[in-house]
Amino acid sequence: MKTTNQPAARTAVQLLDAVAAQRKHPDAFEIPTRKNRHATNAGDTVRIGFIHANQTERMWVRITSRHGDTLHGNLRNVPFLLTEHLIHGQEITFRDKNILDIQGIGK
């Protein structure tokens, strides 16, 4: 039997819409500017929010490619809360609107 390093329940995890969260709570929720989010490219590391049930975990993703507003990257953290759904190195597909922070640039 062949096994993979991918967790079985990957699809159960949703990505946080950072733009919507910032609009809802503008004084408490800061994100990078649209210009900075759109300027990210392969090699940059960004923070993404992952949601499952009542748990949210923010983790770093290293971007491997960008195609317009769609980005692909690999999870750089070892999950603490979502260990049954995400693993270090897992490929993640996300959009500019999911970026909470940009390593080295900030907000």
Side-chain angles (χ1 to χ4, degrees):
M1 175 183 220
K2 186 177 180 181
T3 61
T4 67
N5 288 334
Q6 299 299 318
R10 274 180 62 181
T11 57
V13 176
Q14 301 291 319
L15 298 179
L16 176 69
D17 184 334
V19 174
Q22 196 275 330
R23 283 186 188 136
K24 188 174 181 178
H25 306 285
D27 294 331
F29 204 93
E30 230 181 299
I31 61 172
T33 65
R34 180 178 181 189
K35 179 181 176 182
N36 284 344
R37 290 191 318 269
H38 191 67
T40 57
N41 280 302
D44 291 332
T45 302
V46 297
R47 187 171 289 205
I48 305 294
F50 299 88
I51 304 167
H52 180 265
N54 293 327
Q55 298 179 316
T56 300
E57 189 163 3
R58 297 175 183 193
M59 293 182 277
W60 294 102
V61 174
R62 166 101 17 100
I63 299 171
T64 55
S65 66
R66 171 187 274 281
H67 304 283
D69 188 37
T70 302
L71 299 102
H72 302 276
N74 297 103
L75 190 61
R76 304 306 297 163
N77 294 96
V78 174
F80 179 74
L81 298 173
L82 304 177
T83 58
E84 294 184 20
H85 307 284
L86 297 166
I87 59 171
H88 177 267
Q90 182 173 333
E91 185 174 326
I92 307 294
T93 299
F94 59 99
R95 301 181 67 112
D96 284 346
K97 70 179 185 177
N98 302 118
I99 298 174
L100 294 164
D101 198 0
I102 303 169
Q103 194 171 53
I105 296 175
K107 315 293 188 229

